[in-house]
Amino acid sequence: MANSFNLTSDPWIKVIDRDSNQEKTVSMIELFENAQKYRQLAGEMRSQDLAVLRLLLSVLTTVYSRFDIKGDPYEWLKIDSNTLQASPDIDDDSESDIEEDLLGTWAKLYKSGRFSEIVTQYLQRYSNRFDFFGEKPFYQVTEADYDALVPEKKRVSAGKGTVAVKQINRQVSESGHTPSVFAPRSGELKNEIKLDELVRWIITYQNFTGVTDKTKIETKEKFSVSPGWLYKLNPVFADGQSLFQTLMLNLVLVNEEKEYSSQKPVWEYDSVLTYVSERKEQIMPTNLAELYTAWSRILHIEWDENDQPTIFSAGLPMFGHEDAFLEPMTVWKRDKKTNRYKPAVKGPQSLGKAMWRNFGQYVNVTQSDDVHDPGIVGWLRLLKRQELIPQDSLLTLASVTLISDGNAASQTPIAEVYDDMHINADVLFDKDTDKRIYWPQRIEEVITLTQQIGKDYWQFAADIGKIRNVDVRPFANQVSAEFYQRLNEPFREWLSGLTNQDDRDEKIIFWKKQLRKYVLDSARNVVNASAPRDVGGVLKDKGLVNIFTANNHLRYRIQADLDLKKG
């Protein structure tokens, strides 16, 4: 095994080159110097890309909260020239300049189209903390630190508390007790892995950890082993036309309170023991760099003579998600009992539900005080208000969710869901307070209506199920899922085509007509493919029910719900 693998200079991040459209593997320094040349991250899974994106953002947030585009420290900060770290104390007389300076740096970076030299300088300064085999191995702990933190019977020499590569690899996620039948690898190949891929999965595992591993660090008070932080969110982020643009749109330099936060990513801690002692307090971080690099486990890796890793893992106490508004990449829901906000986590039952159908989770459609937008939406709103992004920008909000099996004892991933929606910035951040004109509220009304038509179509499918004497609910659910799957693209196209210059009623009537045609065409396809039993029908309390009467009922319902004039 190599004596060194440094993430700053050795290639490990997969990207897509914009010119050749080919995949390539780059180091962190190469990525930041050429982010404008790459289309996107291209790891093994979208959730892996999200974990890596947040790591990259933690570097940028740390650097540009201390230095401007020229690499000069902000005047209101004291920077240690040796560590490049900022003092938590700031010049009180300069508080009014902080937002202006940070947004000014962001604007200059965005206009320049590339990241500046200070990012490379920072990574070179901390390169020893990014060595996978260094004295302070990246995202790992030494054997001495591991043994100092876990119970004596769980120490490395005891050989307990290990997780296999096939469990850390989220394409497999196989524990020692339950084989993953449909994994992309089989047999012993599940535990074989290249070094650069292992690095990507270690980062991913810290963010999307299940709870099958039971070893925990020693603490005075008992705690339950927790999933990774990202695993308990419903992530949302901005997607750009290049990797540079994606990083910039998600580079939150000013928080909602517009207060300066001294950044502290995990590698800037003096020691693992110092970091863990703070984590034992289970206090929510006060800065994004720390949050983005938060560990869910301490990991120690032993290598055998065949260069195969044995990974020891012990759980850390995790801070809570309630009212954790520092986190910008999640949608929120209010708990009616506690009146506090929690991430609106997706479950297996919402696998087929497209992002646009939850539009109200991403923007405050009613402009009420009891709705909390995702932080990234608030950040984009600030950029638009400051005219730092073009007024007519077509924004892409994307979501990638790793969904667990719901089993409290394992929380094994069962599905990954990626979705996005494109919307004009002027539409998303419409300033008009008139409910008849305010686009977000009108869009939400259209979505509600569209889902009512979806219910009408579900009832049509249920009627067909009764005629065919099949289990009605599963049959109707399946037909309804196929209906929405085909409807997703036309609605996304309608949504992305909206502008603030549109006549709202005109655009909505246009969608209603499209929707009516789509539903009637879908029903017509069912009628045309009907079997003799569908035509013959069955006798119910209200008389004969066959495919034609079911179709007539559907036409009546959609005409009433859409409220369109004939012709």
Side-chain angles (χ1 to χ4, degrees):
M1 180 55 61
N3 293 323
S4 174
F5 187 86
N6 199 298
L7 277 67
T8 66
S9 54
D10 290 313
W12 65 278
I13 308 171
K14 286 188 174 185
V15 296
I16 299 294
D17 185 88
R18 293 183 74 185
D19 291 334
S20 65
N21 213 31
Q22 297 297 308
E23 179 187 291
K24 64 185 300 185
T25 307
V26 299
S27 67
M28 291 180 77
I29 289 177
E30 188 177 358
L31 183 142
F32 284 123
E33 290 180 344
N34 300 283
Q36 67 279 3
K37 298 179 181 179
Y38 307 135
R39 188 179 307 282
Q40 63 188 59
L41 296 173
E44 281 73 20
M45 294 176 69
R46 296 270 194 173
S47 47
Q48 183 191 94
D49 289 340
L50 179 58
V52 172
L53 177 70
R54 286 165 68 93
L55 173 69
L56 299 174
L57 286 169
S58 69
V59 174
L60 294 174
T61 307
T62 299
V63 171
Y64 289 117
S65 67
R66 300 171 183 173
F67 303 94
D68 63 19
I69 189 171
K70 295 178 181 179
D72 297 326
Y74 297 115
E75 292 183 357
W76 35 268
L77 267 186
K78 294 179 180 178
I79 299 291
D80 186 313
S81 59
N82 184 39
T83 64
L84 301 185
Q85 294 184 28
S87 167
D89 299 321
I90 61 174
D91 184 355
D92 293 337
D93 295 332
S94 301
E95 286 189 11
S96 59
D97 299 331
I98 294 176
E99 180 181 359
E100 182 180 348
D101 286 350
L102 293 174
L103 290 177
T105 294
W106 191 97
K108 291 173 183 176
L109 279 171
Y110 195 72
K111 187 176 181 180
S112 73
R114 61 182 304 155
F115 296 112
S116 54
E117 180 64 23
I118 186 62
V119 180
T120 299
Q121 293 173 8
Y122 175 83
L123 288 174
Q124 289 172 338
R125 168 62 187 81
Y126 281 94
S127 62
N128 64 320
R129 302 295 179 93
F130 287 90
D131 191 336
F132 205 63
F133 298 95
E135 292 183 4
K136 295 182 177 180
F138 178 78
Y139 266 41
Q140 304 160 62
V141 301
T142 62
E143 180 178 353
D145 284 340
Y146 188 88
D147 287 349
L149 290 167
V150 300
E152 184 175 355
K153 63 181 180 180
K154 294 288 188 177
R155 291 176 180 174
V156 172
S157 58
K160 297 180 179 180
T162 62
V163 291
V165 167
K166 63 184 180 181
Q167 187 169 343
I168 284 181
N169 183 336
R170 283 334 205 166
Q171 287 184 313
V172 181
S173 295
E174 179 177 307
S175 68
H177 306 290
T178 308
S180 180
V181 180
F182 299 106
R185 301 180 185 181
S186 60
E188 291 303 315
L189 293 177
K190 291 177 180 178
N191 273 320
E192 289 189 7
I193 196 167
K194 293 180 179 179
L195 186 54
D196 63 309
E197 185 183 355
L198 177 62
V199 172
R200 294 191 295 273
W201 285 125
I202 290 291
I203 295 168
T204 307
Y205 190 69
Q206 289 283 20
N207 286 274
F208 291 100
T209 329
V211 293
T212 52
D213 49 336
K214 304 302 180 185
T215 300
K216 297 183 287 187
I217 66 167
E218 280 192 305
T219 55
K220 292 181 180 179
E221 298 181 5
K222 291 184 178 181
F223 69 94
S224 299
V225 67
S226 173
W229 176 259
L230 260 181
Y231 209 10
K232 298 298 288 182
L233 304 182
N234 187 349
V236 56
F237 57 97
D239 202 6
Q241 295 181 351
S242 68
L243 183 53
F244 170 79
Q245 195 177 78
T246 297
L247 286 165
M248 285 300 299
L249 291 174
N250 293 284
L251 179 55
V252 180
L253 292 180
V254 178
N255 61 28
E256 289 187 357
E257 288 74 27
K258 298 181 181 179
E259 297 175 349
Y260 179 79
S261 297
S262 182
Q263 304 297 315
K264 196 172 185 65
V266 66
W267 55 79
E268 286 194 359
Y269 277 82
D270 293 333
S271 70
V272 167
L273 298 181
T274 303
Y275 175 68
V276 172
S277 67
E278 288 195 15
R279 286 295 304 277
K280 287 180 180 179
E281 302 298 322
Q282 300 185 45
I283 298 174
M284 179 73 186
T286 58
N287 65 92
L288 279 177
E290 184 180 351
L291 180 64
Y292 284 165
T293 59
W295 292 356
S296 62
R297 303 290 184 271
I298 56 168
L299 301 176
H300 172 69
I301 302 179
E302 292 281 322
W303 298 89
D304 63 20
E305 62 277 5
N306 297 316
D307 292 339
Q308 293 300 308
T310 299
I311 305 171
F312 293 83
S313 172
L316 289 169
M318 183 61 77
F319 34 84
H321 288 78
E322 287 187 327
D323 295 340
F325 298 134
L326 173 68
E327 173 57 67
M329 294 187 181
T330 191
V331 296
W332 300 94
K333 65 177 180 181
R334 188 167 62 89
D335 188 316
K336 294 181 180 178
K337 293 182 178 179
T338 64
N339 211 31
R340 300 184 71 182
Y341 289 86
K342 297 179 179 179
V345 182
K346 279 190 175 182
Q349 71 281 357
S350 59
L351 275 173
K353 194 168 185 178
M355 195 174 174
W356 62 265
R357 293 173 63 188
N358 288 321
F359 182 79
Q361 291 185 344
Y362 301 98
V363 61
N364 189 347
V365 297
T366 60
Q367 305 180 72
S368 61
D369 295 333
D370 63 345
V371 175
H372 204 285
D373 292 343
I376 195 63
V377 173
W379 167 246
L380 294 173
R381 183 185 290 110
L382 175 62
L383 294 180
K384 181 181 177 296
R385 189 166 63 240
Q386 297 288 334
E387 298 184 354
L388 300 181
I389 55 176
Q391 298 298 302
D392 58 350
S393 295
L394 189 64
L395 298 176
T396 299
L397 293 179
S399 174
V400 56
T401 310
L402 199 61
I403 296 178
S404 80
D405 58 6
N407 186 339
S410 63
Q411 299 195 34
T412 302
I414 58 169
E416 182 187 63
V417 177
Y418 174 83
D419 198 6
D420 59 28
M421 61 181 180
H422 314 287
I423 186 168
N424 190 289
D426 278 341
V427 171
L428 185 62
F429 304 124
D430 190 356
K431 297 178 181 178
D432 204 309
T433 56
D434 188 332
K435 294 180 180 180
R436 296 168 299 174
I437 300 175
Y438 182 58
W439 251 135
Q441 182 155 331
R442 298 303 302 272
I443 291 170
E444 183 71 2
E445 290 169 359
V446 169
I447 291 170
T448 301
L449 174 62
T450 301
Q451 296 194 118
Q452 178 57 50
I453 299 302
K455 292 177 182 177
D456 294 341
Y457 194 79
W458 186 95
Q459 187 58 57
F460 168 71
D463 290 341
I464 302 301
K466 292 173 184 176
I467 294 167
R468 295 178 181 178
N469 196 30
V470 297
D471 197 343
V472 170
R473 185 167 292 277
F475 175 79
N477 287 346
Q478 178 62 33
V479 173
S480 177
E482 293 171 357
F483 170 84
Y484 274 115
Q485 190 172 8
R486 295 191 299 271
L487 185 64
N488 287 338
E489 196 54 42
F491 186 88
R492 282 156 47 97
E493 186 178 340
W494 176 80
L495 182 64
S496 66
L498 301 179
T499 71
N500 242 13
Q501 288 70 49
D502 292 330
D503 180 295
R504 276 47 167 175
D505 292 333
E506 228 175 68
K507 279 289 184 179
I508 291 171
I509 290 172
F510 176 79
W511 170 249
K512 285 182 177 183
K513 290 178 177 178
Q514 266 195 308
L515 180 58
R516 178 175 62 182
K517 183 179 184 305
Y518 173 75
V519 177
L520 294 180
D521 286 349
S522 298
R524 187 179 297 110
N525 291 335
V526 175
V527 172
N528 291 341
S530 58
R533 181 183 178 91
D534 298 336
V535 176
V538 293
L539 286 173
K540 296 292 183 182
D541 295 339
K542 295 182 180 180
L544 178 69
V545 178
N546 63 15
I547 196 163
F548 302 115
T549 60
N551 188 42
N552 287 339
H553 289 157
L554 173 64
R555 295 175 71 92
Y556 173 80
R557 284 194 293 267
I558 64 173
Q559 188 64 38
D561 289 335
L562 290 176
D563 192 26
L564 284 170
K565 294 179 180 179
K566 291 184 178 180

